[in-house]
Amino acid sequence: MTSEKITVQSLYTVTDEELMLMSSQNPELRFERNANGTLETIPPTGGISGNREIKAGAYLLNWVESQDLGEVFSSSTGFRLANMAVRCLRQATSCLRLMLLL
């Protein structure tokens, strides 16, 4: 399995619907769209990282629900930012991992 990030400059801005369709037709890939319309595919995590991620997510979910603090999302959830980019939470997940290690 290759773990290279692929960037594709689109000839036009891909709509939210097209991005969702592309993602559903290619479940083995994760797509993100930058503010300038550039598409990126993000490779899947490896086994060790995936295991750590799910454990951290479980701890976080249990804590948030026990304190009635709100919602928890997986690192693969896409969010549309103010600049129209669609990004996943992998940066936030990395921060969470660091906080759990401290």
Side-chain angles (χ1 to χ4, degrees):
M1 168 174 49
T2 62
S3 61
E4 295 178 25
K5 182 165 132 178
I6 299 170
T7 303
V8 177
Q9 180 62 49
S10 205
L11 297 176
Y12 69 99
T13 300
V14 176
T15 67
D16 290 345
E17 292 79 19
E18 291 168 327
L19 185 60
M20 293 300 293
L21 180 62
M22 239 181 354
S23 294
S24 67
Q25 291 177 343
N26 299 281
E28 71 282 3
L29 299 173
R30 284 186 8 195
F31 293 96
E32 292 185 349
R33 181 184 64 215
N34 291 332
N36 65 2
T38 301
L39 295 178
E40 294 181 356
T41 61
I42 310 302
T45 61
I48 294 171
S49 296
N51 182 263
R52 287 178 181 159
E53 182 179 315
I54 196 68
K55 285 180 180 178
Y59 292 133
L60 179 62
L61 176 65
N62 290 335
W63 180 71
V64 167
E65 286 186 344
S66 72
Q67 303 298 312
D68 197 25
L69 296 174
E71 300 295 328
V72 175
F73 298 91
S74 78
S75 63
S76 59
T77 303
F79 290 92
R80 186 175 336 136
L81 306 178
N83 65 5
M84 297 308 290
V86 175
R87 289 285 183 193
C88 296
L89 291 175
R90 63 178 192 281
Q91 291 85 4
T93 304
S94 297
C95 291
L96 172 62
R97 284 186 195 136
L98 288 175
M99 290 187 319
L100 291 174
L101 292 173
L102 295 177

